[in-house]
Amino acid sequence: MKGKTYVWVRARTDANGVITPEAFKIEEQLVRVDGVMACRPAHATKAGGRGTRYTVRVGAHDIYLFLDEDRRWFLEEERDVREIPYHD
Amino acid sequence: MRTILHSDCNSFYASVEAAEDPALRGLPVAVCGDPALRHGIILAKSAPAKKCGVLTGEAIWQAKQKCPTLVLVPADQRKYLRYARKMRAIYRRYTHFVEPFGLDESWLDVTGHELSGEEIAAQIRNSAREELGITVSIGVSFNKVFAKLGSDMRKPDATTVITVDNFKDKVWPLPVDELLYVGRATRRRLARLALYTIGDLACADDVLIRAVLGKNGETLQRFARGQDTSPVLCAEEAEEVKSVGNSTTTPHDIVDEEGAKAVLYLLADSVAARLRAHKLACRTVSVWMRDSELNSQERQCRLGQVSDSGSDIARAALALLREHYPWHLPLRSLGVCGSDLKSTQHMVQLPLWTPPKVLRERALEGALDDIRARWGNNSIRRGLMLCGAATQDLNPVDDHDLQGLSAMRGRG
């Protein structure tokens, strides 16, 4: 299986149960999410499996952040992560 | 005019495995049972494996001969159930009338929806691909039988529409056994009348068909003419339990009645536990026997009184086996099924006097249920189970997706 990377995520849950990821950690670096562009159930084409797919904007990049059935967050490929400029 | 969809997940088990592990995509993949427990047959195969000639139901070694690069993946029933549930959730976005037909097929009645059947089919296919990573074939028609035929016509990931105007061109030239419920025996009988296609059956004389096939013949002929009016049952109605059964292939062949008795008690106990869990009792017990040459037969009898007791069911099953199995060959698989079910929640016709032995047996089985619920199915067993090697590694409740014998027969 290609690099499914499980990550630490800070997320907000509103009164309606809507979950919005705000930041996640890669290699102990905190990456701030600038906005959630889309959210839908989806198949993780590159890594396999499926879950709720959040298209999150980090700087100029849009990346997929998945929340799987076991409530774990993952990124599909580490390459996605490396391209992200670290914040904070 | 109704709009019925029949959706069939393509190579379901193999597709789910590929959706979970992208490394399997495009490879000849087969999902198989556990060879150590003699469940070593091909349960499902991917499209590339199918091209090599791998067949569902054949032994692993046969499949490997045809396709040496075949990748074998052990079956994971829970995973497939999870995907099946997700798939049904997609269907329910369009209608509550979703009737499952096995794990990977469902009928949907979308009559009156603002979108056309074809548009809904396209959206469902798209959702299955994007959300679950699997493909489905969908038949759209005005009745269930033709919708099912449609979903078989083009695979994978395709929609086939059969309308009142085109069914004679599309359906009638097909061989008659493509029709739902036409099996080998019916096909042979129809062939004797020189009826080979669905169109032949539709146009045949009603009286002749009735004489040869009886009432079933009339039904089949109605199907062939596109006059099937059976409704799509919503999930709650469809899931009403009609029978509770369990079958197993033992790790070693069963050579005598003593061995068979142990397996029958094991199966009957698990059937009875499930009956009790559903607050049901059965009136009819059937036993299914398959010998080492894979010939199977099923026999049934009525109990004197409805029962949810493992001992009652096992005794009836054993009596049937004694009466009908001549032991010319060892047994490979056995199944026990309780049907003609009655609810035990409401009124039950009680005998005037229940012997103390029966009362003790009931209390004992209730205690067994408790112990098994807490510590697992193998935590307590009948002493009988220790005798036969055939039953040592069996755990019917945990090992199997339990289903009726009729479903087993289909797999042969």
Side-chain angles (χ1 to χ4, degrees), chain B residues 1-6 139-148 150 160-164 167:
Chain B
M1 187 69 63
R2 297 186 297 163
T3 311
I4 311 284
L5 269 59
H6 181 267
V140 182
S141 191
F142 53 97
N143 66 51
K144 283 167 75 176
V145 173
F146 285 179
K148 168 130 177 75
T160 306
V161 183
I162 297 173
T163 64
V164 183
F167 81 87

Side-chain angles (χ1 to χ4, degrees), chain B residues 36-350:
Chain B
L37 293 174
R38 298 206 310 162
H39 301 155
I41 58 161
I42 306 297
L43 300 172
K45 72 273 173 193
S46 67
K50 197 175 182 179
K51 266 194 197 143
C52 298
V54 174
L55 299 173
T56 300
E58 72 183 350
I60 289 172
W61 63 266
Q62 286 171 315
K64 276 272 190 192
Q65 269 182 351
K66 291 179 189 169
C67 178
T69 56
L70 189 69
V71 182
L72 296 170
V73 184
D76 181 349
Q77 202 66 26
R78 285 197 188 127
K79 201 192 292 172
Y80 311 140
L81 275 171
R82 235 177 25 235
Y83 270 77
R85 268 201 296 272
K86 291 278 171 196
M87 204 56 230
R88 281 174 206 160
I90 293 175
Y91 301 147
R92 277 197 286 271
R93 292 175 195 165
Y94 303 94
T95 174
H96 284 290
F97 290 97
V98 177
E99 182 182 339
F101 189 60
L103 211 53
D104 55 344
E105 297 180 29
S106 287
W107 277 290
L108 288 73
D109 187 337
V110 293
T111 311
H113 198 283
E114 56 188 19
L115 298 175
S116 72
E118 211 174 343
E119 285 168 331
I120 293 174
Q123 288 191 3
I124 289 175
R125 281 171 39 211
N126 200 32
S127 301
R129 213 172 33 238
E130 298 210 333
E131 295 176 25
L132 305 180
I134 62 174
T135 58
V136 294
S137 292
I138 299 181
V140 182
S141 191
F142 53 97
N143 66 51
K144 283 167 75 176
V145 173
F146 285 179
K148 168 130 177 75
L149 265 173
S151 70
D152 288 334
M153 278 181 170
R154 280 172 58 215
K155 288 179 174 181
D157 200 9
T159 306
T160 306
V161 183
I162 297 173
T163 64
V164 183
D165 301 321
N166 73 10
F167 81 87
K168 287 183 185 167
D169 300 328
K170 281 199 168 177
V171 173
W172 282 13
L174 297 174
V176 74
D177 54 355
E178 297 266 316
L179 199 64
L180 194 61
Y181 303 122
V182 176
R184 258 178 302 178
T186 310
R187 190 195 60 203
R188 269 201 302 270
R189 280 164 149 184
L190 290 171
R192 269 185 235 137
L193 303 172
L195 303 176
Y196 303 106
T197 66
I198 296 178
D200 291 344
L201 174 63
C203 300
D205 182 49
D206 298 23
V207 181
L208 178 72
I209 295 295
R210 166 102 207 195
V212 176
L213 296 174
K215 222 175 157 197
N216 285 339
E218 276 177 25
T219 312
L220 291 177
Q221 209 170 22
R222 267 209 315 277
F223 286 177
R225 290 172 178 166
Q227 294 162 350
D228 163 40
T229 53
S230 56
V232 174
L233 303 172
C234 55
E236 290 77 27
E237 293 171 55
E239 277 169 15
E240 188 191 332
V241 184
K242 299 233 169 57
S243 66
V244 174
N246 195 358
S247 64
T248 191
T249 297
T250 52
H252 311 283
D253 279 346
I254 307 162
V255 291
D256 57 11
E257 195 181 296
E258 204 53 34
K261 188 176 171 184
V263 177
L264 287 178
Y265 267 88
L266 189 74
L267 293 170
D269 272 346
S270 109
V271 167
R274 285 169 59 221
L275 283 171
R276 290 192 292 269
H278 284 100
K279 305 230 177 319
L280 292 168
C282 66
R283 181 86 201 216
T284 302
V285 170
S286 40
V287 62
W288 171 79
M289 302 158 266
R290 183 160 65 175
D291 63 34
S292 54
E293 288 183 0
L294 306 183
N295 308 304
S296 32
Q297 53 170 321
E298 191 180 340
R299 294 288 178 268
Q300 64 174 46
C301 68
R302 272 170 80 80
L303 296 172
Q305 187 171 5
V306 290
S307 174
D308 58 4
S309 145
S311 304
D312 285 352
I313 295 171
R315 272 195 292 269
L318 189 61
L320 282 168
L321 181 100
R322 272 187 193 137
E323 194 181 332
H324 296 286
Y325 198 70
W327 290 107
H328 55 300
L329 284 170
L331 278 168
R332 179 183 166 89
S333 315
L334 274 172
V336 173
C337 179
S339 54
D340 194 1
L341 304 180
K342 305 274 182 276
S343 168
T344 52
Q345 251 172 332
H346 309 295
M347 279 185 294
V348 180
Q349 174 82 47
L350 293 170

Side-chain angles (χ1 to χ4, degrees), chain A residues 10-76:
Chain A
R10 189 178 72 213
R12 176 168 42 87
T13 308
D14 73 12
N16 294 318
V18 177
I19 299 169
T20 312
E22 294 183 329
F24 56 93
K25 260 186 195 173
I26 339 156
E27 296 163 0
E28 293 309 305
Q29 296 264 16
L30 194 72
V31 179
R32 219 175 30 230
V33 170
D34 296 322
V36 175
M37 313 316 288
C39 167
R40 53 167 298 186
H43 172 227
T45 331
K46 292 181 199 162
R50 67 197 156 72
T52 307
R53 187 183 71 193
Y54 291 79
T55 310
V56 296
R57 182 154 292 174
V58 177
H61 295 255
D62 278 350
I63 58 167
Y64 290 154
L65 186 59
F66 284 84
L67 177 60
D68 73 12
E69 274 190 339
D70 302 323
R71 320 297 293 165
R72 289 194 298 176
W73 295 86
F74 69 87
L75 293 159
E76 283 207 277

